[in-house]
mmCIF file of all heavy atoms in Angstrom:
data_model
loop_
_atom_site.group_PDB
_atom_site.id
_atom_site.type_symbol
_atom_site.label_atom_id
_atom_site.label_comp_id
_atom_site.label_asym_id
_atom_site.label_seq_id
_atom_site.Cartn_x
_atom_site.Cartn_y
_atom_site.Cartn_z
ATOM 1 N N VAL S 1 -9.187 -14.768 30.777
ATOM 2 C CA VAL S 1 -9.979 -15.606 31.679
ATOM 3 C C VAL S 1 -9.103 -16.686 32.320
ATOM 4 O O VAL S 1 -9.138 -16.982 33.440
ATOM 5 C CB VAL S 1 -11.183 -16.071 30.955
ATOM 6 C CG1 VAL S 1 -11.904 -17.133 31.958
ATOM 7 C CG2 VAL S 1 -12.173 -14.974 30.623
ATOM 8 N N SER S 2 -8.344 -17.317 31.461
ATOM 9 C CA SER S 2 -7.584 -18.417 31.875
ATOM 10 C C SER S 2 -6.482 -17.932 32.894
ATOM 11 O O SER S 2 -6.192 -18.661 33.896
ATOM 12 C CB SER S 2 -6.929 -19.102 30.735
ATOM 13 O OG SER S 2 -6.015 -18.231 29.922
ATOM 14 N N HIS S 3 -6.050 -16.802 32.677
ATOM 15 C CA HIS S 3 -5.177 -16.191 33.682
ATOM 16 C C HIS S 3 -5.667 -16.017 35.006
ATOM 17 O O HIS S 3 -5.073 -16.281 36.058
ATOM 18 C CB HIS S 3 -4.550 -14.872 33.050
ATOM 19 C CG HIS S 3 -3.464 -14.297 33.821
ATOM 20 N ND1 HIS S 3 -2.490 -14.998 34.546
ATOM 21 C CD2 HIS S 3 -3.107 -13.011 34.051
ATOM 22 C CE1 HIS S 3 -1.676 -14.262 35.082
ATOM 23 N NE2 HIS S 3 -1.950 -12.919 34.809
ATOM 24 N N ALA S 4 -7.029 -15.446 34.999
ATOM 25 C CA ALA S 4 -7.597 -15.256 36.226
ATOM 26 C C ALA S 4 -7.942 -16.540 36.883
ATOM 27 O O ALA S 4 -7.706 -16.671 38.180
ATOM 28 C CB ALA S 4 -8.963 -14.494 35.963
ATOM 29 N N LEU S 5 -8.396 -17.556 36.160
ATOM 30 C CA LEU S 5 -8.683 -18.790 36.757
ATOM 31 C C LEU S 5 -7.360 -19.539 37.466
ATOM 32 O O LEU S 5 -7.434 -20.098 38.501
ATOM 33 C CB LEU S 5 -9.336 -19.791 35.781
ATOM 34 C CG LEU S 5 -10.784 -19.432 35.403
ATOM 35 C CD1 LEU S 5 -11.190 -20.374 34.316
ATOM 36 C CD2 LEU S 5 -11.746 -19.331 36.567
ATOM 37 N N ALA S 6 -6.307 -19.278 36.692
ATOM 38 C CA ALA S 6 -5.092 -19.935 37.200
ATOM 39 C C ALA S 6 -4.702 -19.211 38.539
ATOM 40 O O ALA S 6 -4.243 -19.901 39.383
ATOM 41 C CB ALA S 6 -3.883 -19.816 36.126
ATOM 42 N N ALA S 7 -4.868 -17.922 38.631
ATOM 43 C CA ALA S 7 -4.477 -17.199 39.817
ATOM 44 C C ALA S 7 -5.446 -17.643 40.942
ATOM 45 O O ALA S 7 -4.903 -17.818 42.147
ATOM 46 C CB ALA S 7 -4.521 -15.675 39.527
ATOM 47 N N LEU S 8 -6.712 -17.802 40.712
ATOM 48 C CA LEU S 8 -7.666 -18.279 41.748
ATOM 49 C C LEU S 8 -7.255 -19.703 42.149
ATOM 50 O O LEU S 8 -7.297 -19.901 43.371
ATOM 51 C CB LEU S 8 -9.068 -18.135 41.176
ATOM 52 C CG LEU S 8 -9.527 -16.750 40.974
ATOM 53 C CD1 LEU S 8 -11.012 -16.841 40.390
ATOM 54 C CD2 LEU S 8 -9.523 -15.952 42.218
ATOM 55 N N ASP S 9 -6.831 -20.533 41.211
ATOM 56 C CA ASP S 9 -6.449 -21.933 41.643
ATOM 57 C C ASP S 9 -5.245 -21.963 42.468
ATOM 58 O O ASP S 9 -5.243 -22.724 43.404
ATOM 59 C CB ASP S 9 -6.327 -22.742 40.368
ATOM 60 C CG ASP S 9 -6.041 -24.185 40.633
ATOM 61 O OD1 ASP S 9 -6.934 -24.823 41.170
ATOM 62 O OD2 ASP S 9 -4.968 -24.616 40.251
ATOM 63 N N GLN S 10 -4.320 -21.132 42.092
ATOM 64 C CA GLN S 10 -3.124 -21.053 42.899
ATOM 65 C C GLN S 10 -3.391 -20.656 44.372
ATOM 66 O O GLN S 10 -2.680 -20.923 45.279
ATOM 67 C CB GLN S 10 -2.113 -20.187 42.227
ATOM 68 C CG GLN S 10 -0.735 -20.213 42.848
ATOM 69 C CD GLN S 10 0.325 -19.332 42.081
ATOM 70 O OE1 GLN S 10 0.034 -18.800 41.055
ATOM 71 N NE2 GLN S 10 1.427 -19.283 42.544
ATOM 72 N N ALA S 11 -4.432 -19.715 44.534
ATOM 73 C CA ALA S 11 -4.744 -19.248 45.817
ATOM 74 C C ALA S 11 -5.665 -20.230 46.507
ATOM 75 O O ALA S 11 -6.074 -19.914 47.664
ATOM 76 C CB ALA S 11 -5.375 -17.840 45.631
ATOM 77 N N GLY S 12 -6.061 -21.271 45.908
ATOM 78 C CA GLY S 12 -6.829 -22.270 46.607
ATOM 79 C C GLY S 12 -8.311 -21.878 46.534
ATOM 80 O O GLY S 12 -9.089 -22.374 47.362
ATOM 81 N N LEU S 13 -8.728 -21.081 45.560
ATOM 82 C CA LEU S 13 -10.114 -20.677 45.392
ATOM 83 C C LEU S 13 -10.764 -21.386 44.285
ATOM 84 O O LEU S 13 -10.158 -21.450 43.093
ATOM 85 C CB LEU S 13 -10.191 -19.269 45.327
ATOM 86 C CG LEU S 13 -9.705 -18.301 46.458
ATOM 87 C CD1 LEU S 13 -9.545 -16.886 46.040
ATOM 88 C CD2 LEU S 13 -10.665 -18.390 47.653
ATOM 89 N N GLU S 14 -11.927 -21.962 44.319
ATOM 90 C CA GLU S 14 -12.600 -22.616 43.321
ATOM 91 C C GLU S 14 -13.932 -21.936 43.025
ATOM 92 O O GLU S 14 -14.741 -21.691 43.870
ATOM 93 C CB GLU S 14 -12.913 -24.073 43.679
ATOM 94 C CG GLU S 14 -13.555 -24.820 42.557
ATOM 95 C CD GLU S 14 -13.796 -26.265 42.933
ATOM 96 O OE1 GLU S 14 -13.325 -26.760 44.041
ATOM 97 O OE2 GLU S 14 -14.384 -27.065 42.211
ATOM 98 N N ALA S 15 -13.999 -21.526 41.680
ATOM 99 C CA ALA S 15 -15.251 -20.735 41.296
ATOM 100 C C ALA S 15 -16.431 -21.782 41.209
ATOM 101 O O ALA S 15 -16.269 -22.890 40.709
ATOM 102 C CB ALA S 15 -14.923 -20.143 39.941
ATOM 103 N N VAL S 16 -17.543 -21.269 41.585
ATOM 104 C CA VAL S 16 -18.759 -22.010 41.418
ATOM 105 C C VAL S 16 -19.350 -21.828 40.049
ATOM 106 O O VAL S 16 -19.707 -22.809 39.345
ATOM 107 C CB VAL S 16 -19.903 -21.503 42.428
ATOM 108 C CG1 VAL S 16 -21.186 -22.305 42.210
ATOM 109 C CG2 VAL S 16 -19.354 -21.769 43.898
ATOM 110 N N THR S 17 -19.466 -20.602 39.520
ATOM 111 C CA THR S 17 -19.834 -20.332 38.177
ATOM 112 C C THR S 17 -18.937 -19.216 37.709
ATOM 113 O O THR S 17 -18.385 -18.458 38.440
ATOM 114 C CB THR S 17 -21.313 -19.904 38.040
ATOM 115 O OG1 THR S 17 -21.539 -18.771 38.773
ATOM 116 C CG2 THR S 17 -22.190 -20.972 38.552
ATOM 117 N N LEU S 18 -18.838 -19.092 36.307
ATOM 118 C CA LEU S 18 -18.193 -18.046 35.688
ATOM 119 C C LEU S 18 -18.843 -17.657 34.449
ATOM 120 O O LEU S 18 -19.425 -18.471 33.720
ATOM 121 C CB LEU S 18 -16.770 -18.616 35.294
ATOM 122 C CG LEU S 18 -15.802 -17.587 34.538
ATOM 123 C CD1 LEU S 18 -14.358 -17.946 34.946
ATOM 124 C CD2 LEU S 18 -15.926 -17.789 32.958
ATOM 125 N N SER S 19 -18.905 -16.340 34.153
ATOM 126 C CA SER S 19 -19.618 -15.823 32.957
ATOM 127 C C SER S 19 -18.933 -14.590 32.430
ATOM 128 O O SER S 19 -18.223 -13.832 33.203
ATOM 129 C CB SER S 19 -21.095 -15.446 33.253
ATOM 130 O OG SER S 19 -21.087 -14.441 34.273
ATOM 131 N N LEU S 20 -19.079 -14.321 31.091
ATOM 132 C CA LEU S 20 -18.524 -13.159 30.469
ATOM 133 C C LEU S 20 -19.648 -12.346 29.947
ATOM 134 O O LEU S 20 -20.631 -12.978 29.359
ATOM 135 C CB LEU S 20 -17.487 -13.593 29.368
ATOM 136 C CG LEU S 20 -16.265 -14.216 29.912
ATOM 137 C CD1 LEU S 20 -15.558 -14.713 28.607
ATOM 138 C CD2 LEU S 20 -15.339 -13.290 30.608
ATOM 139 N N ARG S 21 -19.598 -11.087 29.929
ATOM 140 C CA ARG S 21 -20.597 -10.298 29.387
ATOM 141 C C ARG S 21 -20.013 -8.944 29.006
ATOM 142 O O ARG S 21 -18.986 -8.529 29.454
ATOM 143 C CB ARG S 21 -21.755 -10.027 30.336
ATOM 144 C CG ARG S 21 -21.354 -9.360 31.656
ATOM 145 C CD ARG S 21 -22.631 -9.087 32.480
ATOM 146 N NE ARG S 21 -22.141 -8.487 33.877
ATOM 147 C CZ ARG S 21 -21.848 -7.186 33.993
ATOM 148 N NH1 ARG S 21 -21.933 -6.308 33.005
ATOM 149 N NH2 ARG S 21 -21.533 -6.697 35.127
ATOM 150 N N GLU S 22 -20.690 -8.243 28.058
ATOM 151 C CA GLU S 22 -20.321 -6.845 27.830
ATOM 152 C C GLU S 22 -20.661 -5.889 28.964
ATOM 153 O O GLU S 22 -21.630 -6.172 29.642
ATOM 154 C CB GLU S 22 -21.036 -6.375 26.407
ATOM 155 C CG GLU S 22 -20.636 -7.239 25.318
ATOM 156 C CD GLU S 22 -19.175 -7.075 24.997
ATOM 157 O OE1 GLU S 22 -18.677 -5.953 24.901
ATOM 158 O OE2 GLU S 22 -18.477 -8.160 25.031
ATOM 159 N N PRO S 23 -19.913 -4.863 29.091
ATOM 160 C CA PRO S 23 -20.249 -3.925 30.213
ATOM 161 C C PRO S 23 -21.536 -3.267 30.018
ATOM 162 O O PRO S 23 -21.835 -3.022 28.851
ATOM 163 C CB PRO S 23 -19.074 -2.925 30.242
ATOM 164 C CG PRO S 23 -18.578 -3.002 28.875
ATOM 165 C CD PRO S 23 -18.665 -4.482 28.318
ATOM 166 N N SER S 24 -22.185 -2.985 31.036
ATOM 167 C CA SER S 24 -23.524 -2.278 31.038
ATOM 168 C C SER S 24 -23.362 -0.868 31.532
ATOM 169 O O SER S 24 -22.301 -0.481 32.070
ATOM 170 C CB SER S 24 -24.554 -2.995 31.815
ATOM 171 O OG SER S 24 -24.222 -2.886 33.250
#
């Protein structure tokens, strides 16, 4: 998750919400 957030931050994208769940 931290890797994903770092990549988004580097691209200038800010997440409004973030959640983790098991696949359905």
Side-chain angles (χ1 to χ4, degrees):
V1 173
S2 59
H3 187 31
L5 291 178
L8 294 178
D9 184 62
Q10 186 174 359
L13 296 168
E14 183 176 353
V16 176
T17 62
L18 178 147
S19 62
L20 292 172
R21 61 176 176 81
E22 293 303 301
S24 68

